Amino acid sequence: MSIDISPGRFVTSSDGTKIWAAACGNPSKPAVVFIHGFACTADAFDKQYTNPIMLENLYIIRYDVRGCGRSEGPLSGEAYSSEIQADDFKAVIDAYNVTKPFVATWSLGGIVPPDVIAKFGPDSLSGHIMMGSFPHRNMHSEVVHPVILSLIPGLMTEDIALFAKTLPEFVLSCVSPHHKLSYDVYAKWLGGAAPRAPIVRQSMLGRGQDSTAIMQAATHFPYIAIQGEDDQHLVPQKLEKWMKDHLTRSEFHLIPGVGHAPFYEAPDIANKLILDFVKKYAA
């Protein structure tokens, strides 16, 4: 068995923006593209990228979404449109010669798969693994938690002092109130979000999305929600109900004592659920 642990690289998207990406794991196994949330980086999923069982059974591709981490962040709202987000994704998987991967998303990363399906069709992906994430942008208001709702103005502001006050609260809200976030992880997540201009944050959080294509595929496209009971960004009961009402091929797993980052707070449980889902739906 050959295990690919190659370092990251930059790929060029349709508008010339440089997107940082990397791959690890077993190229002969099903591919899973990991997409992080708002103002974060691909390093959020370190407990997946370094897990020997994950590396043996999956080909893991990760990238920093435009405007985040090592990727470039154009200073215009138009540069964050759904079509461009789909092009970024396609540039990344093409660079690693992958077709029809699974997608594993965290938080706002969940709105990228609908972009991909809208542009490249429902057969472009094999399934959506949602970890503290949601199926598309337009249903977010139905499941959003009051805590993150209260923080959004401070995350979108051009007021440096308000942003500096809000950002640490945002990072801490990403785990259960009962979980003690280690300082090195806190600093890494904080640093991943800090350096971008307001227009980038505003464009990422405020962009629209046409959910027509993703909802047309709702009867046959597979989903799994790996959801923390203490999530302060999504209300688990509302997400579970929405999925039951709208997604035919979906499963919902609630993890007690875990917040918005189940892949980090409960990696053993999350990793097993990911592997089981991929095995179930891999072609």
Side-chain angles (χ1 to χ4, degrees), residues 20-263:
W20 182 89
C24 59
N26 189 339
S28 70
K29 298 296 184 178
V32 181
V33 181
F34 281 74
I35 306 178
H36 62 80
F38 168 74
C40 194
T41 75
D43 294 335
F45 301 109
D46 281 347
K47 293 183 179 181
Q48 284 67 53
Y49 305 147
T50 59
N51 181 277
I53 298 175
M54 296 285 278
L55 294 174
E56 181 179 350
N57 290 282
L58 301 175
Y59 188 44
I60 296 174
I61 299 171
R62 49 179 163 148
Y63 70 100
D64 287 345
V65 174
R66 64 172 50 217
C68 296
R70 290 146 289 202
S71 292
E72 293 180 344
L75 299 179
S76 69
E78 295 77 13
Y80 296 85
S81 69
S82 290
E83 185 171 356
I84 291 293
Q85 300 285 346
D87 287 345
D88 291 353
F89 183 92
K90 186 68 160 55
V92 169
I93 64 171
D94 284 353
Y96 292 99
N97 299 311
V98 163
T99 58
K100 203 173 181 180
F102 290 87
V103 185
T105 68
W106 180 29
S107 198
L108 196 66
I111 70 175
V112 175
D115 297 332
V116 175
I117 285 177
K119 183 159 188 179
F120 300 110
D123 290 335
S124 58
L125 300 176
S126 289
H128 187 177
I129 301 158
M130 302 183 296
M131 300 174 289
S133 192
F134 50 97
H136 64 78
R137 180 74 179 83
N138 298 333
M139 56 77 64
H140 181 250
S141 61
E142 300 181 44
V143 300
V144 66
H145 195 285
V147 169
I148 188 60
L149 205 56
S150 71
L151 296 177
I152 287 176
L155 295 173
M156 297 183 73
T157 185
E158 298 189 12
D159 183 330
I160 296 175
L162 177 58
F163 178 64
K165 176 182 179 296
T166 305
L167 187 57
E169 297 176 16
F170 168 73
V171 170
L172 292 175
S173 76
C174 289
V175 295
S176 167
H178 307 294
H179 181 93
K180 187 172 179 58
L181 194 64
S182 67
Y183 184 76
D184 62 331
V185 173
Y186 168 76
K188 179 180 279 190
W189 290 8
L190 196 68
R196 296 300 185 174
I199 184 62
V200 176
R201 291 184 264 115
Q202 293 162 1
S203 300
M204 292 178 68
L205 278 175
R207 74 178 181 91
Q209 183 169 67
D210 185 346
S211 56
T212 303
I214 194 71
M215 291 310 300
Q216 286 176 343
T219 58
H220 58 274
F221 187 74
Y223 289 87
I224 181 174
I226 304 171
Q227 179 63 45
E229 187 177 44
D230 297 342
D231 196 330
Q232 298 178 85
H233 290 210
L234 302 173
V235 179
Q237 297 82 1
K238 292 183 178 180
L239 177 61
E240 182 178 20
K241 183 181 185 305
W242 193 95
M243 291 175 65
K244 285 181 177 178
D245 290 346
H246 296 91
L247 306 177
T248 303
R249 299 177 76 187
S250 67
E251 52 189 273
F252 183 92
H253 299 267
L254 188 66
I255 309 176
V258 167
H260 189 53
F263 56 88

